[in-house]
Amino acid sequence: MGESAAGTSMEVKPGQMVFEPILEQGVFRFDCSADARNSSFPSLSFVNPKERDTPLVNDHKTPSYVPTYEFVAEQQIVYFELPAGTSFYGTGEVSGQLERTGKRVFTWNTDAWGYGSGTTSLYQSHPWVLAILPNGDALGILADTTKRCEIDLRKESTVKLIAPSPYPVFTFGPFASATNVLTSLSHAIGTVFMPPKWSLGYQQCRWSYDSDTRVREIAKTFRDKGIPCDVIWMDIDYMDGFRCFTFDKETFPNPKSLADDLHDAGFKAIWMLDPGIKHEKGYFVYESGSEKDIWVQTADGKPFVGEVWPGPCVFPDFTQEKARSWWATLVKDFISNGVDGIWNDMNEPAVFKSITKTMPESNIHRGDAELGGHQNHLHYHNVYGMLMAKSTYTGMKLANPNKRPFVLTRAGFIGSQRYAATWTGDNLSTWEHLHMSISMVLQLGLSGQPLSGPDVGGFAGNATPKLFGRWLGVGAMFPFCRGHSEKGTTDHEPWSFGEECEEVCRLALKRRYRLIPHIYTLFYLAHTKGLPVATPALFADPKDSQLRTIENSFLLGPLLVYSSTVSELGVHQLKHALPNGTWMSFDFEDSHPDLPALYLQGGSIIAFGPPHQHVGEANLNDDLSLLVALDENGKAEGVLFEDDGDGYEYTNGGYLLTTYIAELKSSVVTVRVSKTEGLWVRPNRRLHVHLLLGEGAMVDAWGTDGEDLQIVMPSENEVSKLVSDSKNNYKTRMETAKLIPDVEKASGHKGVELSGIPVEIKSGEWALKVVPWIGGRIISMEHLPSRTQWLHSRVEMNGYEEYSGTEYRSAGCTEQYTVLDRDLEQAGEVESLKMEGDVGGGLAIERNISISQDNPNVFTIDSSLVARNVGAGSGGFSRLVCLRIHPTFSLLHPTESYISFTSINGSKHDVWPESGEQLYEGDLRPNGEWMLVDKCLGLGLVNKFNIDQVYKCLIHWDFGTVNMELWSEDRPVSKQSPLRISHSYEVTQVL
């Protein structure tokens, strides 16, 4: 028998979790037993952990959905069975599709450079699922564990949670809307910190602006070109030898002077701080930390030393109050250099030269008792970044209690929004990543973190002009808007891609700055009430199943942003799937094929202002503009929040919150103030009202803010003419717009044009992406039934490569390949891609990738190193060559992965990452197949090959990857005697 919080006995079915209501009506805690409840670890996600453990004594209600559980190998497995037709969202920072049915996520903060749509662990952990039920109601599910947690949504309408026991699970709802669920969640995990208004402007970053001279040049160019911008970021190269809290004396000799110059020009300066502290005697940060004994320790009690940018590093143990206080003091002193914000990077924590990309799970954190006490790194790994961000936030408040801190963190946990904004990590300059960035921002918002955005333009790789312009077009509507790119790429500032792209970027950012009053209001509501900022279009009508998978539009309150993420199509060439009800299109006479379309929901009013060059230019006496869209009843309502834009006077009444309403009566629309909050006196300013009529048409009127303003509605004929004229003007703008040049194509081998967009082979159980123009490499290998991405790489290196010699990266991996043949499931038989690359000396590598419908679970690669034009003087034979197959597979769970095979001589091998590099020849070679096993997934990637063609097999473990190489014999080739390797890949279940 179990007992509810009200004290009444109730029958608990075997395997059914016991529950008690907590926090507020509609919120329930579930545990496997009373003993499990009492032995669970303290919460690091709840803003007030005591509320998690305190039942509501007067709540006699029972939950709508009670989960079941089982224990397998010390893992607690929890199941929620929900109604058929339920849709899943949330799960935090995740790539891939918006609606999460069919996906599986592992909460394990990971340095995931160049992640793909199938990557299962990124930089942050949110063990949270938002379920939209078939009737539009919503339910939130939170697994309150800091440890690695598997969120398995592969079975329709079923949530499966797996993590080390014991841990409690919480449900929020079902409530009538997803917004209500998110508001209730915020009462548990806290709301987003109130951002300073300047942080909502555009922000420019690069790894790295290499000197203060370059930073000043960037800032000046923004102002000279009239492109709005508020922040310049300093990446790690500003430091002296990557030592945190220092400055390079040659390139950044006077950071305070630089900050003063930036401030004078209306810019803020944000600087990076990493957790890795250089292990170096005499370095003041290392010495003070060692004196206070605050480093993470190894299992034998010594400070852990791991390699990061400075070389050997130690790491603060942020689970200890004394370490957090030490760090906060360093931050406080650092702020005196004119620092306006701090960027915490590499805080998963990332560690180089480690298979797991982080520190050993056996490391020890001497945590405070209220956090969980002394535990190994497995326990605290996922909250390391959040605790670092909290310490940084505290240090900034200490430095100036009258300013709001701004912290950006890469790693985080559910609840991190209390201290920091975030971004979606090291993405790629591809159209796929542009498209994914929308869903990623939305998922974070649906998981309690509303202040996020991607690296606009992509971090890794070179954006094309059209990609960058399109990305900034939609990125200017994200809650957090920052452009960023890595070393070795071309310049990625808005003016770096030609005048057409520059103009699109200028229009996009002016549009954002006009809308900052609205965006700032949304953040005030998010901070004070827990309301979301950016949400999927389905929030406008959750009962409409067609909206649940739309990924190229989103809402900012009642403002709908509709974008095109398809390179070939401008936004005007798409059919816009709008929610039910009234939606009024509008623009600021800035419509362009590469900018999103904007709609305002009927019944809504939003505020906007002039397009300033930076937020600090805005003045309370500026004209205030309102956009009004009446609903079918002729009414509309909206709010505007105003304060100093920084500091905390708003908490003491130093603000103005205005509710505006509009109402149509007898052909007259009256716009007036219906309610105000706050102690501020309304500024003496003009009010400019734009009443939307449809298709971008509007009538406008001027008045004084705070006084009633009346607008006489045009007649039906006049409205029809205004709408017709507006449609024609829009069409003309689109037809006459200066388009960004389409340079997606590069000149190909032998004059052939090769697309700069990867070739996709998708058939049976596989989806592959191939880039013929650089090495013909496979950059993505996704197994569709398991949604597992076994291989994912950047365009120019790694992935699946082939070489023509025994040397690493010898000819074949960078040459341009010609597509010889491309079959698209002709007669339903096979999909294939045949390529050829010239590797010099009269030689070529031929490669044929195919998926047969007769065997759709397998894809085959037939490769040959052939003599095309070997001179007669050599007897028709080439130089000494070797066909070397070099795939770089991603390890989704490095500590749970190994390679298994049986050798020709019958010996069995399980090769784990600790073995480093292993070469197998002769009878030790795998007998025609070997398998990469992921124990966590219960899957194996089987590579079968012709043993007569393969003379050596090499395994090379690296940081989060493994190479499984096949080598042919080493000899000259002729036209009659090519070198060949035929091999295949398939996925199998492993018990």
Side-chain angles (χ1 to χ4, degrees):
M1 300 291 285
E3 188 168 304
S4 73
T8 59
S9 295
M10 58 170 292
E11 183 178 355
V12 179
K13 297 177 182 178
Q16 194 173 41
M17 302 186 82
V18 297
F19 68 86
E20 57 188 11
I22 66 156
L23 191 66
E24 62 190 20
Q25 188 171 337
V27 180
F28 292 90
R29 170 176 175 158
F30 298 89
D31 293 274
C32 296
S33 65
D35 288 341
R37 179 187 301 140
N38 295 331
S39 62
S40 62
F41 286 100
S43 175
L44 275 75
S45 60
F46 274 60
V47 66
N48 183 355
K50 289 184 180 179
E51 291 183 335
R52 188 195 79 160
D53 302 326
T54 305
L56 297 179
V57 295
N58 295 319
D59 192 327
H60 302 277
K61 294 187 176 180
T62 58
S64 299
Y65 301 98
V66 177
T68 58
Y69 73 93
E70 63 178 330
F71 294 106
V72 177
E74 298 184 350
Q75 299 287 301
Q76 175 182 317
I77 306 175
V78 176
Y79 301 90
F80 282 87
E81 300 289 344
L82 302 177
T86 296
S87 302
F88 295 128
Y89 303 90
T91 66
E93 186 182 54
V94 287
S95 57
Q97 66 202 44
L98 175 66
E99 203 282 310
R100 305 302 294 172
T101 297
K103 302 293 282 185
R104 180 161 58 165
V105 173
F106 295 84
T107 63
W108 186 253
N109 293 0
T110 302
D111 179 359
W113 179 99
Y115 54 85
S117 60
T119 305
T120 56
S121 298
L122 296 183
Y123 307 88
Q124 304 208 7
S125 293
H126 296 74
W128 161 259
V129 178
L130 177 65
I132 308 296
L133 306 178
N135 65 354
D137 290 354
L139 174 73
I141 300 171
L142 172 65
D144 196 18
T145 176
T146 62
K147 296 179 181 178
R148 183 188 280 110
C149 178
E150 178 181 345
I151 307 172
D152 188 347
L153 305 176
R154 290 177 297 173
K155 184 180 178 183
E156 185 177 348
S157 303
T158 300
V159 177
K160 181 179 178 182
L161 305 168
I162 307 173
S165 63
Y167 62 92
V169 177
F170 300 84
T171 59
F172 299 79
F175 296 132
S177 72
T179 297
N180 290 347
V181 170
L182 294 174
T183 300
S184 183
L185 174 68
S186 76
H187 298 161
I189 66 169
T191 63
V192 67
F193 72 100
M194 185 63 185
K197 197 172 186 179
W198 57 260
S199 68
L200 302 182
Y202 178 65
Q203 313 193 25
Q204 185 62 52
C205 186
R206 180 171 178 82
W207 176 35
S208 286
Y209 294 127
D210 56 11
S211 68
D212 58 3
T213 301
R214 179 61 174 154
V215 172
R216 290 183 173 92
E217 178 185 324
I218 293 293
K220 183 176 185 300
T221 306
F222 270 106
R223 296 294 180 252
D224 289 347
K225 289 183 172 290
I227 300 174
C229 185
D230 264 87
V231 185
I232 308 293
W233 292 63
M234 267 52 72
D235 208 317
I236 197 169
D237 291 292
Y238 79 82
M239 300 177 189
D240 177 14
F242 305 130
R243 298 172 181 85
C244 286
F245 303 103
T246 69
F247 299 90
D248 188 292
K249 294 180 177 58
E250 298 293 325
T251 55
F252 288 86
N254 193 335
K256 184 64 167 63
S257 175
L258 172 61
D260 290 343
D261 289 347
L262 289 174
H263 294 163
D264 289 344
F267 289 93
K268 304 294 183 183
I270 295 181
W271 307 71
M272 175 184 283
L273 289 175
D274 288 352
I277 301 300
K278 188 173 179 65
H279 184 271
E280 179 181 67
K281 288 189 176 181
Y283 168 35
F284 75 99
V285 180
Y286 172 75
E287 293 290 356
S288 67
S290 298
E291 181 180 337
K292 293 183 179 296
D293 185 29
I294 53 86
W295 308 125
V296 175
Q297 294 182 341
T298 60
D300 58 1
K302 298 176 181 177
F304 167 73
V305 180
E307 190 92 1
V308 204
W309 294 112
C313 288
V314 288
F315 296 81
D317 184 358
F318 292 109
T319 68
Q320 301 181 68
E321 171 57 35
K322 68 176 182 179
R324 296 194 298 275
S325 177
W326 167 82
W327 183 269
T329 301
L330 288 169
V331 169
K332 173 179 174 289
D333 296 340
F334 187 63
I335 297 298
S336 65
N337 294 289
V339 172
D340 299 296
I342 290 179
W343 174 13
N344 288 159
D345 195 24
M346 305 290 288
N347 55 341
E348 291 74 30
V351 177
F352 297 161
K353 300 181 180 178
S354 165
I355 291 290
T356 64
K357 297 188 175 182
T358 191
M359 60 179 62
E361 295 177 0
S362 59
N363 275 3
I364 299 299
H365 295 266
R366 294 165 286 166
D368 303 330
E370 61 268 24
L371 298 186
H374 288 218
Q375 302 290 340
N376 62 20
H377 185 66
L378 178 67
H379 183 84
Y380 284 120
H381 173 84
N382 283 335
V383 295
Y384 187 89
M386 178 173 77
L387 293 174
M388 180 185 183
K390 178 181 180 180
S391 307
T392 304
Y393 182 90
T394 301
M396 291 198 71
K397 285 196 85 168
L398 288 173
N400 192 335
N402 297 318
K403 282 193 173 182
R404 300 173 201 164
F406 183 80
V407 179
L408 183 77
T409 184
R410 189 169 80 175
F413 188 68
I414 191 163
S416 294
Q417 75 285 341
R418 303 193 293 263
Y419 317 110
T422 195
W423 86 107
T424 60
D426 295 342
N427 58 359
L428 302 178
S429 292
T430 66
W431 287 92
E432 178 188 35
H433 275 251
L434 161 59
H435 182 82
M436 282 199 307
S437 69
I438 299 175
S439 294
M440 294 182 75
V441 169
L442 296 178
Q443 302 289 20
L444 281 163
L446 299 182
S447 305
Q449 172 54 286
L451 188 46
S452 74
D455 284 342
V456 171
F459 176 72
N462 296 318
T464 63
K466 180 180 281 190
L467 175 60
F468 188 88
R470 192 77 63 81
W471 207 327
L472 190 53
V474 65
M477 296 291 100
F478 286 148
F480 174 65
C481 181
R482 181 184 75 156
H484 185 36
S485 53
E486 74 171 343
K487 279 186 176 181
T489 60
T490 57
D491 289 345
H492 277 63
E493 292 74 37
W495 55 82
S496 303
F497 299 92
E499 61 180 24
E500 297 88 356
C501 182
E502 179 182 323
E503 179 58 19
V504 167
C505 295
R506 186 180 291 107
L507 290 172
L509 292 175
K510 284 186 173 182
R511 176 183 279 188
R512 178 180 184 85
Y513 277 69
R514 284 184 181 275
L515 290 169
I516 278 181
H518 173 59
I519 298 172
Y520 189 57
T521 298
L522 292 177
F523 271 103
Y524 173 74
L525 297 174
H527 172 65
T528 56
K529 300 179 183 299
L531 297 178
V533 174
T535 59
L538 69 94
F539 270 53
D541 187 4
K543 295 181 182 179
D544 184 352
S545 61
Q546 300 300 313
L547 295 176
R548 297 190 177 191
T549 55
I550 290 180
E551 298 181 340
N552 64 329
S553 66
F554 59 95
L555 293 161
L556 293 170
L559 172 62
L560 179 68
V561 179
Y562 207 102
S563 63
S564 172
T565 57
V566 181
S567 62
E568 301 86 2
L569 299 176
V571 70
H572 63 301
Q573 296 169 304
L574 300 177
K575 182 179 179 181
H576 296 188
L578 301 177
N580 290 328
T582 302
W583 293 90
M584 297 285 194
S585 63
F586 72 94
D587 63 15
F588 302 106
E589 297 186 351
D590 60 357
S591 290
H592 189 282
D594 290 312
L595 293 181
L598 303 179
Y599 296 87
L600 186 61
Q601 187 174 22
S604 304
I605 300 174
I606 65 171
F608 68 94
H612 293 296
Q613 290 297 291
H614 59 92
V615 169
E617 278 189 344
N619 189 297
L620 285 170
N621 294 316
D622 288 340
D623 295 339
L624 175 64
S625 298
L626 298 179
L627 276 171
V628 178
L630 300 175
D631 62 16
E632 61 273 13
N633 297 314
K635 295 181 179 181
E637 182 176 328
V639 296
L640 172 65
F641 174 77
E642 299 170 279
D643 72 344
D644 282 331
D646 207 342
Y648 294 94
E649 283 302 309
Y650 75 92
T651 63
N652 298 311
Y655 67 94
L656 180 63
L657 181 66
T658 304
T659 300
Y660 294 94
I661 63 171
E663 188 171 9
L664 172 63
K665 285 186 178 180
S666 303
S667 300
V668 175
V669 176
T670 301
V671 180
R672 63 184 179 87
V673 173
S674 70
K675 186 172 65 173
T676 61
E677 293 180 16
L679 301 178
W680 268 22
V681 176
R682 185 170 303 281
N684 182 19
R685 60 191 175 193
R686 296 195 303 169
L687 180 68
H688 190 187
V689 174
H690 304 258
L691 179 63
L692 300 179
L693 303 174
E695 299 290 350
M698 63 181 70
V699 292
D700 59 345
W702 287 87
T704 300
D705 186 27
E707 298 179 2
D708 290 3
L709 176 63
Q710 293 188 327
I711 305 171
V712 178
M713 281 290 289
S715 67
E716 286 188 19
N717 287 339
E718 289 171 327
V719 169
S720 295
K721 186 176 187 312
L722 287 169
V723 170
S724 177
D725 290 346
S726 177
K727 289 176 68 175
N728 290 333
N729 289 338
Y730 176 81
K731 181 181 179 182
T732 299
R733 277 200 300 273
M734 289 299 187
E735 291 175 347
T736 60
K738 287 188 176 180
L739 300 179
I740 301 176
D742 186 355
V743 293
E744 306 292 337
K745 295 183 177 180
S747 177
H749 179 65
K750 300 179 182 177
V752 176
E753 288 281 308
L754 290 180
S755 171
I757 300 174
V759 176
E760 186 169 9
I761 306 172
K762 189 173 184 180
S763 183
E765 295 188 356
W766 290 97
L768 314 176
K769 290 182 180 177
V770 185
V771 287
W773 67 96
I774 304 182
R777 77 183 71 251
I778 302 173
I779 61 169
S780 178
M781 182 189 294
E782 182 178 4
H783 183 246
L784 299 174
S786 65
R787 303 291 180 96
T788 307
Q789 202 154 23
W790 291 95
L791 178 150
H792 184 80
S793 78
R794 61 199 298 173
V795 168
E796 69 274 14
M797 67 180 299
N798 292 332
Y800 176 96
E801 302 176 332
E802 294 181 358
Y803 310 149
S804 59
T806 57
E807 302 83 10
Y808 174 62
R809 293 187 68 77
S810 55
C813 69
T814 58
E815 283 71 18
Q816 195 163 272
Y817 280 57
T818 302
V819 174
L820 301 177
D821 195 15
R822 174 83 165 94
D823 288 330
L824 295 170
E825 295 194 54
Q826 299 279 336
E829 293 178 358
V830 67
E831 176 158 337
S832 66
L833 177 69
K834 188 175 183 179
M835 300 175 292
E836 178 179 295
D838 188 337
V839 295
L843 299 175
I845 292 180
E846 272 189 7
R847 187 178 315 143
N848 187 55
I849 306 168
S850 62
I851 304 171
S852 170
Q853 196 174 65
D854 292 337
N855 197 6
N857 60 318
V858 175
F859 80 87
T860 301
I861 303 178
D862 295 305
S863 298
S864 302
L865 185 54
V866 299
R868 284 280 181 258
N869 188 25
V870 178
S874 63
F877 284 91
S878 71
R879 65 183 185 272
L880 199 65
V881 290
C882 172
L883 180 58
R884 179 177 172 183
I885 310 297
H886 179 85
T888 302
F889 296 112
S890 304
L891 298 177
L892 302 178
H893 306 97
T895 60
E896 300 293 321
S897 298
Y898 64 96
I899 293 171
S900 179
F901 64 91
T902 300
S903 290
I904 295 172
N905 65 10
S907 59
K908 297 184 183 297
H909 303 262
D910 287 339
V911 186
W912 291 84
E914 296 77 18
S915 63
E917 184 172 287
Q918 300 289 327
L919 182 66
Y920 299 92
E921 302 179 75
D923 287 347
L924 286 176
R925 286 173 294 160
N927 191 16
E929 66 177 72
W930 50 359
M931 177 169 58
L932 172 59
V933 178
D934 187 317
K935 288 179 62 181
C936 210
L937 294 177
L939 297 175
L941 177 67
V942 180
N943 178 207
K944 296 182 179 180
F945 53 89
N946 185 336
I947 192 63
D948 295 329
Q949 298 172 337
V950 174
Y951 280 62
K952 297 179 183 178
C953 295
L954 183 141
I955 299 172
H956 176 79
W957 300 96
D958 209 330
F959 313 130
T961 62
V962 65
N963 304 116
M964 297 173 64
E965 296 194 10
L966 307 175
W967 295 32
S968 74
E969 63 179 319
D970 190 15
R971 63 168 173 81
V973 299
S974 67
K975 291 182 179 180
Q976 291 75 35
S977 60
L979 287 171
R980 291 193 174 95
I981 294 180
S982 296
H983 62 120
S984 65
Y985 296 97
E986 62 183 294
V987 172
T988 186
Q989 288 191 334
V990 178
L991 298 178

